[in-house]
């Protein structure tokens, strides 16, 4: 779902769409400055660097977590 939703929201997908790995990475200029506050307020923990971010889902995450992440991300 992330590989479909994030590009639809304007984020540049770096992870190949056919990848079955649980990590999804996107390039996003100014990612840290634009996302840190929103993610912290939503209590969402992902890896965010200056110009990209990475989501690492696991067996402990469910679709509610994905929905919360997408809501916090908004659009690029």
């Amino acid at each position: 779902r992330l590989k479909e939703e994030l590009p639809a929201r304007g984020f540049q997908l770096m992870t190949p769409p056919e990848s079955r790995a649980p990590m999804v990475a996107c390039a996003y200029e100014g990612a840290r400055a634009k996302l840190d506050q929103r993610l912290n307020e939503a209590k969402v923990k992902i890896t965010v660097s200056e110009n990209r971010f990475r989501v690492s889902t696991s067996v402990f995450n469910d679709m509610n977590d994905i929905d919360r992440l997408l809501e916090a991300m908004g659009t690029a």
Side-chain angles (χ1 to χ4, degrees):
R1 178 164 176 215
L2 290 174
K3 288 183 225 171
E4 293 174 5
E5 286 286 330
L6 291 170
R9 292 168 180 255
F11 300 103
Q12 181 185 353
L13 191 65
M14 295 172 63
T15 302
E18 67 276 3
S19 172
R20 296 183 49 87
M23 286 194 232
V24 177
C26 290
Y28 181 44
E29 189 171 334
R32 185 174 290 138
K34 295 174 183 175
L35 296 176
D36 271 354
Q37 183 176 349
R38 287 190 262 169
L39 294 171
N40 286 334
E41 288 173 359
K43 295 182 172 60
V44 172
K45 302 290 183 197
I46 65 172
T47 302
V48 182
S49 65
E50 188 173 337
N51 293 306
R52 72 191 104 213
F53 62 88
R54 183 183 70 218
V55 180
S56 301
T57 59
S58 78
V59 297
F60 301 106
N61 299 112
D62 60 23
M63 291 310 286
N64 292 322
D65 297 320
I66 301 302
D67 290 340
R68 196 170 83 239
L69 165 69
L70 290 170
E71 184 175 326
M73 298 292 290
T75 57

